[in-house]
Amino acid sequence: MLRLALTLVIGYLLGSISPGVLLSRALGHEDIRTKGSGNSGTTNMLRVMGKKMAALTFMGDMLKGIVAVLIGAALVGNKGGELVGAVGAVLGHNFPVFFGFKGGKGIATSFGCLLFIYPLQALAAFAVFLALVLITRYVSLGSIGAAVTMPIFVMLTTPKDPVVWGCALFLGLLAIWRHRANVARLLAGTESKINFKSSQKKERS
């Protein structure tokens, strides 16, 4: 139990490192959280700073999740420990102690963690995300679709384990809750669509 708690804390501290905030500040821009949607994640970086900065943010957010998972594996030695590390990293990303508890929505970090722990299930969830984004151009809808299906994929393909299933379900529900404002805008028809062409032009300008 102590090792699980330690894994959660270390994962949280790692997750609290925000590549989006650090990149936006380092490049002489204002804090990314003062622009666009106010989040520090990949989608807002794409809209505000272009594809290259969004890709770097995405990779950084994934990497910190993977490191947290590796720490969970080292300290606890099973899938439950890895997933507790993942939960800590996602909580840190969403509510970073180093940046006033205002972060992103945890999709890239969750994906990095789950891709490392359950690659086939994570890729299946990513396929759901990609299909929804390509069809609708709503990144939020794709994220919600992946958040709904990922716990289902895990529970359908792994032995029943309260820690594993509980963590997978928690990550999915947290992602959906973090998108509650997006859900309201989707229902109202006011949600912003991603514009791949304009993002590319912005990057080149």
Side-chain angles (χ1 to χ4, degrees):
M1 197 66 183
L2 180 59
R3 291 188 179 187
L4 282 174
L6 184 59
T7 297
L8 185 67
V9 171
I10 294 173
Y12 173 77
L13 293 175
L14 282 169
S16 292
I17 301 169
S18 177
V21 175
L22 295 173
L23 281 169
S24 62
R25 290 180 177 178
L27 292 173
H29 297 265
E30 295 181 79
D31 190 320
I32 188 63
R33 296 172 300 171
T34 66
K35 302 290 185 179
S37 66
N39 290 312
S40 63
T42 302
T43 302
N44 201 34
M45 288 291 282
L46 176 63
R47 290 195 176 108
V48 176
M49 298 186 68
K51 289 183 179 179
K52 288 182 180 178
M53 293 301 102
L56 288 173
T57 300
F58 183 77
M59 288 187 289
D61 285 340
M62 283 185 62
L63 181 60
K64 66 187 182 184
I66 291 171
V67 173
V69 168
L70 288 171
I71 290 171
L75 289 177
V76 183
N78 57 35
K79 294 293 185 184
E82 293 176 4
L83 278 162
V84 167
V87 168
V90 174
L91 285 172
H93 179 83
N94 286 324
F95 313 106
V97 67
F98 305 130
F99 298 103
F101 302 100
K102 183 181 179 183
K105 295 178 180 177
I107 298 301
T109 303
S110 296
F111 179 66
C113 294
L114 294 168
L115 182 64
F116 192 83
I117 304 169
Y118 295 116
L120 294 179
Q121 296 90 330
L123 288 173
F126 179 72
V128 173
F129 166 84
L130 193 61
L132 288 171
V133 172
L134 291 175
I135 292 168
T136 68
R137 289 194 292 125
Y138 289 125
V139 175
S140 58
L141 186 60
S143 299
I144 293 166
V148 169
T149 54
M150 183 65 199
I152 295 173
F153 293 152
V154 170
M155 288 187 283
L156 287 176
T157 57
T158 63
K160 186 176 181 180
D161 183 309
V163 175
V164 170
W165 286 20
C167 287
L169 187 59
F170 176 81
L171 289 173
L173 291 174
L174 178 62
I176 295 168
W177 180 76
R178 290 289 285 166
H179 284 83
R180 61 195 184 282
N182 302 89
V183 172
R185 289 194 294 270
L186 284 166
L187 293 174
T190 58
E191 176 73 332
S192 298
K193 292 185 176 182
I194 195 73
N195 190 327
F196 300 107
K197 291 182 179 179
S198 66
S199 296
Q200 187 175 13
K201 290 178 182 178
K202 182 182 291 186
E203 184 187 46
R204 290 175 178 173
S205 62

